[in-house]
Amino acid sequence: MQVTVNLQSNYSYIPMVLLFLGALVLIVLLIIWAAKEKRQPKKTKKEPLPAPVNPRSRAMELKRTYDRKLAQLEEDCEKGAVSERKAYQKLSALVRSFAHEMTGIKVSNYTLQELRQAGMPQLTTLIEECYVPEFAPGNEGQAKEAIKKARKVIAEWI
């Protein structure tokens, strides 16, 4: 009987087995590495925290800002760019806006009674002086004096 098939040695398959085992180990290592990457949050560049705002410096900046606005209003009055009535209306709006920014209380629509109850006596007095010239047509006031008082109220605001 004649054998038509040549048998190969058992050791001839070793390189293929080693290659298969190496690929299997490589796949397992890749899976472990990928799982580890998913668990660890990506390191991002930390942005520096903003510097804390000093309430006093913020208040001083607001005072300077509104002082400039009042100076502009006073200049407009001197030039005749705004009428007395319009000046009082702008003055009232400016000091109410200032009070809102300083306290967080929206006093722009408060009546005099509500202002008194809010505990802002200087603001109440100033707004009270603006009422008649602001709302009564033809009733002229002293806008420049009222602006000076407003500057004083803002400067002395605590």
Side-chain angles (χ1 to χ4, degrees):
M1 191 164 46
Q2 189 171 0
V3 180
T4 58
V5 177
N6 290 333
L7 296 177
Q8 294 183 351
S9 153
N10 289 338
Y11 299 112
S12 66
Y13 293 105
I14 287 184
M16 275 192 353
V17 170
L18 288 175
L19 186 63
F20 176 74
L21 288 176
L24 188 63
V25 167
L26 184 63
I27 290 172
V28 168
L29 288 175
L30 284 173
I31 290 172
I32 291 171
W33 177 75
K36 186 177 178 181
E37 284 292 314
K38 284 183 181 177
R39 279 184 281 165
Q40 291 179 350
K42 291 184 179 180
K43 293 180 181 178
T44 58
K45 218 178 198 182
K46 288 185 178 179
E47 293 181 23
L49 295 174
V53 177
N54 182 349
R56 285 186 177 218
S57 65
R58 176 167 161 32
M60 292 305 291
E61 183 61 34
L62 280 174
K63 287 179 180 185
R64 282 191 294 272
T65 300
Y66 279 90
D67 189 55
R68 284 191 299 267
K69 289 179 181 183
L70 289 172
Q72 181 63 48
L73 179 60
E74 189 173 27
E75 187 179 312
D76 290 345
C77 286
E78 288 173 2
K79 290 180 182 177
V82 292
S83 66
E84 284 277 315
R85 182 176 183 198
K86 193 71 171 168
Y88 275 101
Q89 290 171 347
K90 286 186 175 189
L91 177 64
S92 178
L94 280 173
V95 293
R96 287 173 183 260
S97 177
F98 172 77
H100 170 68
E101 288 194 54
M102 288 295 282
T103 64
I105 301 169
K106 191 167 183 169
V107 295
S108 59
N109 297 329
Y110 275 26
T111 62
L112 280 176
Q113 185 61 33
E114 291 169 326
L115 282 173
R116 282 187 193 99
Q117 291 172 353
M120 300 177 202
Q122 291 180 317
L123 179 67
T124 306
T125 304
L126 183 64
I127 297 296
E128 194 171 22
E129 288 179 25
C130 293
Y131 257 43
V132 174
E134 184 179 1
F135 294 111
N139 192 345
E140 297 295 315
Q142 302 259 331
K144 290 180 189 177
E145 288 300 316
I147 292 170
K148 286 179 185 175
K149 288 179 184 177
R151 287 175 123 170
K152 184 178 178 187
V153 167
I154 287 174
E156 294 175 354
W157 195 281
I158 298 173

